[in-house]
Amino acid sequence: MKCRLKKIPHLSGNKASFYSVIIDQCQDTLFELFIKEHAELHMNELTNILLRIKTMGQKVGIIDDFLKIHEGRYGDGVCALYDVPNSKLRVYCIRYGSQIIIIGGGGIKTKQTRALQDSPKLTKENYLMRAISRAITINIIDKNISYSDDGLEFEGELEFTIKK
């Protein structure tokens, strides 16, 4: 599966940058697909998530209070972003330090969903972000991807292949 990182300029700022991923020949990023999927039924939560992202990008940087960390394997940086702790809508991300987040897809976590494995949709989205994280880590180690001098951007080969 081919992936390409795409910066989201209107959400990024001088405190943090946000990217999403385009898979194969799709025209939309994973985050754009997430927004389209949930816009009709969950507009309030989406609006709050977008406000949190903009706040991090332009005012405060990436802070743990907006994220549920350790949503993947140890060290992969996969976390969940949501609007308030009891909200149902969550989007999975990969955090790189305090200045870069890659936003993927997500879904609804109901009260009956105790763990992401209880929801096929959340499991699929989470495991995709884990695979993307592994591929980016390999590319950083191989020096195909690096950080800009100010730490706010990825540089280098932002297209890569993942194995699912």
Side-chain angles (χ1 to χ4, degrees):
M1 180 181 305
K2 292 198 181 283
C3 296
R4 180 168 49 96
L5 293 178
K6 180 180 177 186
K7 188 172 181 181
I8 310 171
H10 65 279
L11 297 176
S12 300
N14 62 350
K15 298 290 185 180
S17 295
F18 294 89
Y19 288 78
S20 192
V21 181
I22 296 174
I23 302 289
D24 292 327
Q25 301 303 315
C26 189
Q27 297 299 310
D28 295 323
T29 66
L30 294 176
F31 188 51
E32 290 166 335
L33 294 171
F34 171 79
I35 290 171
K36 288 177 182 179
E37 180 180 352
H38 298 286
E40 189 173 324
L41 295 176
H42 304 283
M43 185 50 80
N44 285 341
E45 287 183 53
L46 271 176
T47 300
N48 290 336
I49 287 171
L50 288 167
L51 285 173
R52 282 185 171 221
I53 292 169
K54 275 188 145 175
T55 299
M56 286 190 285
Q58 298 168 4
K59 295 181 181 172
V60 298
I62 298 168
I63 56 173
D64 287 347
D65 291 348
F66 289 175
L67 304 168
K68 183 173 182 200
I69 57 175
H70 307 301
E71 286 289 291
R73 291 186 175 211
Y74 180 76
D76 66 8
V78 175
C79 51
L81 176 65
Y82 46 87
D83 69 335
V84 293
N86 294 325
S87 69
K88 297 177 191 161
L89 190 62
R90 61 198 54 234
V91 61
Y92 290 108
C93 311
I94 308 167
R95 178 180 177 169
Y96 289 91
S98 62
Q99 295 180 295
I100 298 177
I101 285 186
I102 298 171
I103 309 171
I108 303 296
K109 184 174 180 188
T110 64
K111 291 189 188 284
Q112 293 78 25
T113 309
R114 293 186 335 183
L116 74 95
Q117 291 84 355
D118 295 336
S119 165
K121 171 72 170 155
L122 292 177
T123 300
K124 176 185 168 202
E125 298 292 348
N126 182 282
Y127 279 69
L128 176 57
M129 294 307 286
R130 292 180 190 196
I132 291 168
S133 174
R134 279 192 303 275
I136 292 171
T137 298
I138 289 168
N139 277 285
I140 289 172
I141 290 168
D142 291 345
K143 300 190 185 323
N144 297 323
I145 297 175
S146 61
Y147 297 97
S148 62
D149 289 340
D150 64 3
L152 280 169
E153 295 191 40
F154 282 126
E155 296 178 336
E157 185 55 48
L158 303 184
E159 291 187 30
F160 50 90
T161 303
I162 62 169
K163 298 174 186 170
K164 282 191 73 179

